[in-house]
Amino acid sequence: GVCDDDGSELYQRDDDREDVVRARYEKQWVQAAAPVLEYYAGHGLVQHVDASVPKDQVAGAVDAVIDELDGRA
Protein backbone atom coordinates (compact mmCIF):
# COMPACT_ATOMS: atom_id res chain seq x y z
CA GLY A 1 0.00 0.00 0.00
CA VAL A 2 3.00 2.35 -0.05
CA CYS A 3 5.49 3.46 -2.70
CA ASP A 4 8.81 1.62 -2.56
CA ASP A 5 10.69 4.80 -3.51
CA ASP A 6 9.28 7.50 -1.28
CA GLY A 7 6.87 5.75 1.11
CA SER A 8 3.84 7.71 -0.05
CA GLU A 9 0.42 6.05 -0.04
CA LEU A 10 -0.49 4.27 -3.26
CA TYR A 11 -3.77 5.08 -4.97
CA GLN A 12 -5.52 4.29 -8.25
CA ARG A 13 -6.87 7.01 -10.50
CA ASP A 14 -10.56 6.77 -11.45
CA ASP A 15 -9.64 6.46 -15.13
CA ASP A 16 -7.07 3.73 -14.49
CA ARG A 17 -9.49 0.80 -14.59
CA GLU A 18 -9.77 -1.96 -17.19
CA ASP A 19 -13.26 -0.96 -18.34
CA VAL A 20 -12.21 2.67 -18.84
CA VAL A 21 -9.01 1.73 -20.67
CA ARG A 22 -10.88 -0.72 -22.92
CA ALA A 23 -13.48 1.93 -23.81
CA ARG A 24 -10.75 4.50 -24.53
CA TYR A 25 -8.87 1.99 -26.71
CA GLU A 26 -12.03 1.14 -28.65
CA LYS A 27 -12.87 4.79 -29.29
CA GLN A 28 -9.42 6.25 -29.91
CA TRP A 29 -7.81 3.36 -31.79
CA VAL A 30 -10.27 0.84 -33.17
CA GLN A 31 -13.01 3.24 -34.29
CA ALA A 32 -10.61 5.98 -35.36
CA ALA A 33 -8.46 3.58 -37.38
CA ALA A 34 -11.35 1.79 -39.11
CA PRO A 35 -11.85 4.33 -41.94
CA VAL A 36 -8.11 4.55 -42.57
CA LEU A 37 -7.77 0.78 -42.65
CA GLU A 38 -10.78 0.49 -44.95
CA TYR A 39 -9.33 3.07 -47.33
CA TYR A 40 -5.96 1.35 -47.64
CA ALA A 41 -7.51 -2.12 -47.78
CA GLY A 42 -9.67 -0.89 -50.65
CA HIS A 43 -6.47 0.00 -52.50
CA GLY A 44 -4.87 -3.38 -51.81
CA LEU A 45 -2.33 -1.89 -49.44
CA VAL A 46 -3.12 -3.83 -46.25
CA GLN A 47 -1.22 -6.94 -45.23
CA HIS A 48 -2.33 -9.08 -42.31
CA VAL A 49 0.15 -10.62 -39.90
CA ASP A 50 -0.90 -13.12 -37.23
CA ALA A 51 0.43 -11.61 -34.01
CA SER A 52 -0.82 -14.48 -31.85
CA VAL A 53 2.18 -16.64 -32.73
CA PRO A 54 5.62 -16.40 -31.06
CA LYS A 55 7.38 -13.09 -31.62
CA ASP A 56 10.11 -14.56 -33.85
CA GLN A 57 7.39 -15.80 -36.22
CA VAL A 58 5.69 -12.39 -36.14
CA ALA A 59 9.02 -10.72 -36.93
CA GLY A 60 9.58 -13.15 -39.82
CA ALA A 61 6.13 -12.44 -41.21
CA VAL A 62 6.68 -8.68 -40.98
CA ASP A 63 10.08 -9.05 -42.66
CA ALA A 64 8.43 -11.05 -45.46
CA VAL A 65 5.85 -8.29 -46.00
CA ILE A 66 8.60 -5.67 -46.14
CA ASP A 67 10.66 -7.80 -48.52
CA GLU A 68 7.61 -8.18 -50.76
CA LEU A 69 7.08 -4.41 -50.77
CA ASP A 70 10.74 -3.89 -51.60
CA GLY A 71 10.47 -6.40 -54.46
CA ARG A 72 12.87 -8.82 -52.82
CA ALA A 73 10.38 -11.64 -52.31
Side-chain angles (χ1 to χ4, degrees):
V2 296
C3 176
D4 293 338
D5 291 332
D6 66 14
S8 63
E9 182 180 352
L10 297 179
Y11 63 93
Q12 185 173 10
R13 296 179 354 194
D14 290 339
D15 66 345
D16 190 20
R17 297 188 328 265
E18 183 177 349
D19 62 322
V20 174
V21 173
R22 284 186 184 278
R24 186 182 312 129
Y25 169 78
E26 177 68 28
K27 181 178 181 184
Q28 293 180 346
W29 291 103
V30 176
Q31 292 176 9
V36 176
L37 184 58
E38 184 179 325
Y39 173 83
Y40 285 106
H43 288 81
L45 298 171
V46 174
Q47 297 287 329
H48 295 274
V49 172
D50 181 1
S52 67
V53 298
K55 64 182 177 181
D56 59 325
Q57 292 178 27
V58 174
V62 171
D63 286 344
V65 168
I66 293 170
D67 287 347
E68 185 177 323
L69 292 171
D70 282 346
R72 292 185 279 178

